[in-house]
Amino acid sequence: MTRARDRKEAPVKRPYVAACIALFMALGFCACAPAPASPGAAKNGTAMEVNGTPVHADEFRYCVSQVQATVMDTASKKGWVVDDTDPVHDSRAGELLVDEAAARCVDGVVRRQGAVALTFIDDASFESLVERWKADKAARHASSQAGEVLYGPVEKTLEQYEFQEMADAASEQETADATALTDDPGALDALIRARPEVAEGLDMAVPEDRAIAAQILARRMFESTHERAVDDAEVTMKESWLSGLTISDLVGS
């Protein structure tokens, strides 16, 4: 899915961007709150839609904050001159920033939509994610003050919470798939014959090793399904919102 360059707001396809997955799964970077819009930008505008789910300005800037360092590093290596006052469409760095942020947003929305399909969460919106994060933060603070043992930091960043929530949803799906494969020896054996590397170092006559192979296959199945869902996502870029925005409008500088 290449982003539409004209002013039409029709659904377009955007290819899966592997780099955004690596960014999404990383926990080491600093999570930044969505930057406030500049006075000249629409604070509550819709930047894009993913399968009908709107991505508002605050979510898009949240995605920008996650890809900004990588994009600016690329710009520096390529020798691009970056002026924060440049309109996004007049800057190679600005265009790349939008493309990478959009890819990150597509990945996040598709993951949440998948979690809704699993009934793991009941709302795929960014606003709902933020509310769940705030509730988790309040609960963890209360537990800490009560002297209860907590795993992980007392206060998770939004990125850390999002990662954990989606990892838990993925684990639920993978566990169900692995169990189904373990309960169907014929299907498991057929998949292992098609992907013999999965059973490398394992003894398929041993139940424990068969369970491990089923878990590996379930993880691959989940990842493959997610990648196809991202590839097939109906994405509408709202050029009317992007039009006239400068780089500083996106990064909050």
Side-chain angles (χ1 to χ4, degrees), residues 7-31:
R7 298 301 178 192
K8 296 181 180 180
E9 298 180 356
V12 294
K13 297 286 186 180
R14 179 180 297 275
Y16 177 75
V17 181
C20 78
I21 300 297
L23 285 169
F24 174 68
M25 299 301 288
L27 284 175
F29 45 59
C30 170

Side-chain angles (χ1 to χ4, degrees), residues 137-229:
K137 182 166 57 174
R140 292 181 70 83
H141 272 288
S143 295
S144 176
Q145 292 173 356
E148 298 176 10
V149 176
L150 291 174
Y151 296 97
V154 172
E155 183 173 318
K156 297 177 183 177
T157 64
L158 177 55
E159 287 176 87
Q160 288 172 328
Y161 178 80
E162 180 187 21
F163 169 82
Q164 188 61 60
E165 182 175 77
M166 292 300 98
D168 290 344
S171 178
E172 185 167 295
Q173 179 65 62
E174 290 165 16
T175 298
D177 290 341
T179 299
L181 285 173
T182 301
D183 292 342
D184 189 343
L188 178 57
D189 290 338
L191 285 173
I192 290 175
R193 284 194 297 271
R195 303 175 181 178
E197 72 281 1
V198 169
E200 191 171 330
L202 299 175
D203 185 347
M204 290 298 96
V206 177
E208 290 79 7
D209 282 6
R210 291 180 66 83
I212 292 173
Q215 289 170 358
I216 295 172
L217 286 167
R219 166 52 65 94
R220 291 190 178 186
M221 289 164 57
F222 178 86
E223 292 174 346
S224 178
T225 298
H226 174 68
E227 290 179 14
R228 287 197 303 272

Side-chain angles (χ1 to χ4, degrees), residues 41-251:
K43 292 183 180 181
N44 298 313
T46 299
M48 60 191 295
E49 290 183 356
V50 182
N51 295 330
T53 296
V55 173
H56 296 294
D58 54 353
E59 180 175 4
F60 196 83
R61 291 188 174 90
Y62 167 71
C63 294
V64 166
S65 73
Q66 294 171 62
V67 303
Q68 180 182 351
T70 299
V71 169
M72 293 310 170
D73 182 61
T74 297
S76 177
K77 289 178 179 177
K78 290 182 177 293
W80 296 346
V81 175
V82 181
D83 185 339
D84 285 352
T85 64
D86 284 342
V88 169
H89 287 313
D90 294 342
S91 166
R92 284 178 292 184
E95 288 280 357
L96 182 60
L97 192 65
V98 168
D99 286 344
E100 292 296 305
R104 169 62 180 88
C105 284
V106 170
D107 181 76
V109 173
V110 168
R111 286 184 185 276
R112 295 198 299 273
Q113 289 172 339
V116 168
L118 290 171
T119 67
F120 189 82
I121 60 176
D122 58 11
D123 190 335
S125 71
F126 180 70
E127 292 81 2
S128 179
L129 168 66
V130 172
E131 287 304 312
R132 291 192 299 273
W133 167 58
K134 289 179 178 178
D136 178 78
K137 182 166 57 174
R140 292 181 70 83
H141 272 288
S143 295
S144 176
Q145 292 173 356
E148 298 176 10
V149 176
L150 291 174
Y151 296 97
V154 172
E155 183 173 318
K156 297 177 183 177
T157 64
L158 177 55
E159 287 176 87
Q160 288 172 328
Y161 178 80
E162 180 187 21
F163 169 82
Q164 188 61 60
E165 182 175 77
M166 292 300 98
D168 290 344
S171 178
E172 185 167 295
Q173 179 65 62
E174 290 165 16
T175 298
D177 290 341
T179 299
L181 285 173
T182 301
D183 292 342
D184 189 343
L188 178 57
D189 290 338
L191 285 173
I192 290 175
R193 284 194 297 271
R195 303 175 181 178
E197 72 281 1
V198 169
E200 191 171 330
L202 299 175
D203 185 347
M204 290 298 96
V206 177
E208 290 79 7
D209 282 6
R210 291 180 66 83
I212 292 173
Q215 289 170 358
I216 295 172
L217 286 167
R219 166 52 65 94
R220 291 190 178 186
M221 289 164 57
F222 178 86
E223 292 174 346
S224 178
T225 298
H226 174 68
E227 290 179 14
R228 287 197 303 272
V230 170
D231 284 344
D232 294 339
E234 290 290 338
V235 179
T236 303
M237 294 300 301
K238 299 295 186 179
E239 297 294 338
S240 58
W241 180 79
L242 284 170
S243 179
L245 288 183
T246 65
I247 294 176
S248 63
D249 289 332
L250 292 181
V251 302

